Amino acid sequence: YKVKQKGATAKFKFGVQVPLGLKNAYQLDKINKNNYWQKAIDKELKQLNDYNTFRVLKLWEKPPPEYQKIPYHIVFDVKFDLRRKARLVAGGNWTNPDKEDLYSGVVGMESVRLGFFLGEQNGLSCCAADVGNAFLYGKTKEKVYIIAGSEFGPELQGRALIIYKSLYGLRTSSARFHEHCAEKLRQLGFKPSLFDCDFWYRDVGDHYEYLATFV
């Protein structure tokens, strides 16, 4: 729910106040005498580093002229188990749409129902899974960069960071992960069905395995 607070709208989730921005996150930590939001920010930046999301330019380097500078912001959330979540999101809305694919296909509900039906009829197990930091597996084709803020630490603050992976917020990130996921599924022996290209299958001898993808 939301509560008006000094001209801004304070948002609460599971009884925890969600920051309206980076400065507000630090303020809430100070008020609550903990570092929950700071830890969430640090965790997000560590994951971005672990996935080699950015190519850091030297202090004297300038981004190539064809690269566009875009803003970014950090979105905050509270999980059902009260874990704090921070997500760095690029300002992809500042870029001009390119001719390349922007969107990702998703499996149809008819295919999902068919998958459950086939599993039930053949006594097969059905399960669901989520890919953590999914977009960071793909490589972006967009030519964009950001300027690191203070949350990146003194070594990177003010440096130009060229976005190398399909970061959340970019226009084409969904399509890039869809391509990456399809390539990996083919390597695992899966094929897209003719009925639905996001409903995959593979022959494992005595039965077929089916996989529905939703990006």
Side-chain angles (χ1 to χ4, degrees), residues 15-17 19 29 32 34-41 43 76-79 81-86:
V16 177
Q17 186 171 350
D29 274 353
N32 296 321
N34 57 42
N35 63 345
Y36 293 159
W37 291 114
Q38 177 68 67
K39 289 169 66 176
I41 295 167
K43 180 180 179 181
F76 298 95
D77 195 14
V78 179
K79 298 296 185 178
D81 58 0
L82 302 186
R83 283 181 297 121
R84 276 55 163 182
K85 176 69 178 177

Side-chain angles (χ1 to χ4, degrees), residues 15-46:
V16 177
Q17 186 171 350
V18 182
L20 300 174
L22 195 61
K23 291 182 179 179
N24 190 214
Y26 296 142
Q27 290 172 350
L28 291 176
D29 274 353
K30 188 174 182 180
I31 293 171
N32 296 321
K33 297 180 180 180
N34 57 42
N35 63 345
Y36 293 159
W37 291 114
Q38 177 68 67
K39 289 169 66 176
I41 295 167
D42 292 344
K43 180 180 179 181
E44 170 68 0
L45 294 178
K46 181 181 183 302

Side-chain angles (χ1 to χ4, degrees), residues 43-60:
K43 180 180 179 181
E44 170 68 0
L45 294 178
K46 181 181 183 302
Q47 289 178 332
L48 293 175
N49 182 61
D50 290 344
Y51 281 81
N52 298 314
T53 307
F54 304 107
R55 184 165 67 86
V56 183
L57 297 185
K58 303 294 183 182
L59 285 172
W60 59 86

Side-chain angles (χ1 to χ4, degrees), residues 48 69 72 84 113 115 129 154 170 177 179 181 190-191 207:
L48 293 175
K69 176 185 172 182
Y72 71 90
R84 276 55 163 182
R113 295 189 186 99
L170 295 181
F177 175 71
E179 292 173 356
C181 184
F190 282 93
K191 298 178 181 179
H207 67 278

Side-chain angles (χ1 to χ4, degrees), residues 66-71 90-98 100 102 140-146 163 169-173:
E66 68 270 22
Y67 277 73
Q68 179 183 351
K69 176 185 172 182
I70 60 172
N93 57 302
W94 287 68
T95 62
N96 294 321
D98 205 345
E100 62 179 319
L102 300 180
T140 187
K141 298 177 183 177
E142 299 186 49
K143 296 181 178 181
V144 289
Y145 71 96
I146 63 172
I163 300 177
L170 295 181
R171 290 183 183 272
T172 61
S173 291

